[in-house]
Amino acid sequence: MNQATTALLDADLIVAEDVISIDESIEARYRELDEQSIVLLARQQPVATDLRTIVAALRISVDLQRMGVLARHVAEVARQRHPSCAVADSMRDTIRSMGEVAQRIIAKARGVIISKDAQAALALTANDDEMDLLHHELYRRLLSESYEPDARTVVDITLIGRFYERFADHAVSVARRVAYIAGEGALD
Amino acid sequence: MNQATTALLDADLIVAEDVISIDESIEARYRELDEQSIVLLARQQPVATDLRTIVAALRISVDLQRMGVLARHVAEVARQRHPSCAVADSMRDTIRSMGEVAQRIIAKARGVIISKDAQAALALTANDDEMDLLHHELYRRLLSESYEPDARTVVDITLIGRFYERFADHAVSVARRVAYIAGEGALD
């Protein structure tokens, strides 16, 4: 998503293509993870924490796969609009901040997966609130009376805003599912 | 989603509220299904088809839960714009058709869950193609030069189009996961 934000703000076609090709390798790993989870369920007949871990992994893999798709969607908007930039000057700072929050939240989600720290997992929600605020800010700017964008720009920015917001939602889901492994909360 | 379409096209607040409250009961059933799946994995230690069925159920429940959320989002747009209608006359037919395709596709997905018919599952993809065409048609109308909507309308229609498209995607995912139970294709 970091690269997708660069592709979008710099109207950089090479970075955009790179994000799109990275997503394909995420798809392959997603299927690998599914297969490994199912083999473990069949062969090890896990219970308690082991079972919760594999069930959570089956959900987390979907989240990570969707996050890859959402980053690709952002890069696709950059590619479609190239050599123009899809983001007007008045919205660059908000989009850049959304990219930064996305980067922070995925770094934390990664940390939570490794540490299995339920408290850190729950703390991730604060970053999601930050993303929601930026998302509202983006729409406020888009709908401000002083700004009269063409319809195409409004469509692009609306979708981009939604992609970042959903990206953050999935990162929070990943964290919540790690908390579930530790015995806190529902699988969700 | 059928009711959400009615709420949207008729600017009907009561139907919109109804959709929003139905989504809450879907959330409750989603958690029930998760718990049942995990209990079955722990107690029955299933293998082969039984294992594939439960693993698929863990994925299908996420799809159905998201479909409930997407229908709610459509109803929320109707509620936000009430007493105005969020849909301009020139786009009513396309939105109505998207609602009809959504209804057909979910009815078929339901049939596939009951019949476990892998061929019927794969046939669902055709309905998804139909939804994609309508989605493009919606954007084409939104961006046509003869139509000059305000930015708010463009935001609403862009999101609504996305909600219907994702709804259809999830219905296709449900069907593909049923095909996986029957031993055809990956879990996805």
Side-chain angles (χ1 to χ4, degrees):
Chain A
M1 190 54 113
N2 208 23
Q3 277 188 269
T5 307
T6 301
L8 188 65
L9 292 177
D10 298 349
D12 189 324
L13 191 60
I14 291 167
V15 177
E17 297 284 5
D18 200 28
V19 172
I20 293 162
S21 69
I22 289 170
D23 181 45
E24 284 163 21
S25 73
I26 293 176
E27 292 287 334
R29 294 197 167 202
Y30 159 66
R31 283 161 198 271
E32 269 174 41
L33 185 54
D34 274 359
E35 278 167 31
Q36 287 168 5
S37 300
I38 294 162
V39 166
L40 281 172
L41 283 172
R43 295 206 185 142
Q44 309 279 344
Q45 310 274 323
V47 293
T49 306
D50 288 345
L51 176 57
R52 283 204 301 272
T53 304
I54 297 172
V55 167
L58 280 167
R59 283 278 162 84
I60 288 170
S61 72
V62 180
D63 287 313
L64 297 176
Q65 183 260 357
R66 278 308 297 167
M67 291 167 85
V69 171
L70 290 163
R72 175 162 60 81
H73 284 344
V74 170
E76 283 166 345
V77 173
R79 184 169 66 174
Q80 276 162 23
R81 292 297 284 260
H82 184 268
S84 299
C85 180
V87 181
D89 285 348
S90 64
M91 273 172 285
R92 289 185 73 82
D93 287 349
T94 311
I95 298 271
R96 185 179 291 113
S97 298
M98 291 176 93
E100 286 164 2
V101 172
Q103 192 60 19
R104 265 207 303 280
I105 205 168
I106 188 68
K108 285 189 187 171
R110 182 193 161 95
V112 161
I113 290 173
I114 293 164
S115 69
K116 294 181 189 168
D117 179 341
Q119 294 314 308
L122 299 174
L124 255 188
T125 315
N127 292 82
D128 190 36
D129 292 345
E130 206 181 339
M131 185 64 96
D132 286 344
L133 284 176
L134 287 166
H135 193 203
H136 285 130
E137 164 75 11
L138 190 71
Y139 283 175
R140 200 186 56 73
R141 284 177 185 271
L142 197 58
L143 299 178
S144 82
E145 283 180 16
S146 62
Y147 180 57
E148 291 180 2
D150 60 292
R152 173 76 189 272
T153 298
V154 180
V155 168
D156 284 348
I157 297 293
T158 301
L159 289 176
I160 286 167
R162 177 97 188 137
F163 299 149
Y164 280 99
E165 189 206 19
R166 292 293 302 149
F167 186 92
D169 288 346
H170 282 289
V172 169
S173 289
V174 166
R176 273 213 319 274
R177 285 157 191 173
V178 173
Y180 162 80
I181 298 173
E184 304 211 6
L187 173 62
D188 255 10
Chain B
M1 190 54 114
N2 206 24
Q3 277 188 270
T5 307
T6 300
L8 189 66
L9 293 177
D10 298 349
D12 189 324
L13 191 60
I14 291 168
V15 176
E17 297 285 5
D18 199 30
V19 171
I20 293 161
S21 69
I22 289 170
D23 182 44
E24 285 163 20
S25 72
I26 293 176
E27 291 287 333
R29 294 197 167 205
Y30 160 66
R31 283 162 199 268
E32 270 173 41
L33 185 55
D34 274 358
E35 281 168 29
Q36 287 168 5
S37 299
I38 294 161
V39 166
L40 280 172
L41 283 172
R43 296 206 184 143
Q44 309 278 343
Q45 310 273 321
V47 293
T49 305
D50 288 345
L51 176 58
R52 283 204 300 271
T53 304
I54 297 172
V55 167
L58 281 167
R59 284 278 161 85
I60 288 171
S61 72
V62 181
D63 288 313
L64 296 177
Q65 184 259 358
R66 279 306 299 165
M67 291 168 85
V69 171
L70 291 163
R72 174 162 61 80
H73 284 343
V74 170
E76 282 165 347
V77 174
R79 184 169 66 175
Q80 276 162 21
R81 292 300 284 262
H82 184 270
S84 299
C85 180
V87 181
D89 285 348
S90 65
M91 273 173 283
R92 289 185 72 81
D93 287 349
T94 310
I95 298 271
R96 185 178 290 116
S97 298
M98 291 176 94
E100 286 164 1
V101 172
Q103 191 59 20
R104 265 206 303 279
I105 206 168
I106 189 67
K108 285 188 188 172
R110 181 193 161 96
V112 161
I113 290 173
I114 293 166
S115 69
K116 295 180 188 169
D117 179 341
Q119 293 314 308
L122 300 174
L124 254 188
T125 314
N127 291 83
D128 190 37
D129 292 345
E130 205 181 340
M131 185 64 96
D132 286 344
L133 284 176
L134 287 166
H135 193 204
H136 285 131
E137 164 75 11
L138 189 71
Y139 283 175
R140 200 185 56 74
R141 285 176 186 271
L142 197 59
L143 301 178
S144 81
E145 284 180 15
S146 61
Y147 180 58
E148 291 180 2
D150 60 293
R152 171 77 189 272
T153 298
V154 180
V155 168
D156 284 347
I157 296 292
T158 301
L159 289 176
I160 286 168
R162 179 96 188 138
F163 298 149
Y164 280 100
E165 190 207 17
R166 292 293 302 148
F167 185 92
D169 287 345
H170 283 289
V172 169
S173 289
V174 166
R176 273 211 319 274
R177 283 154 192 175
V178 173
Y180 163 80
I181 298 173
E184 305 212 5
L187 173 62
D188 256 11

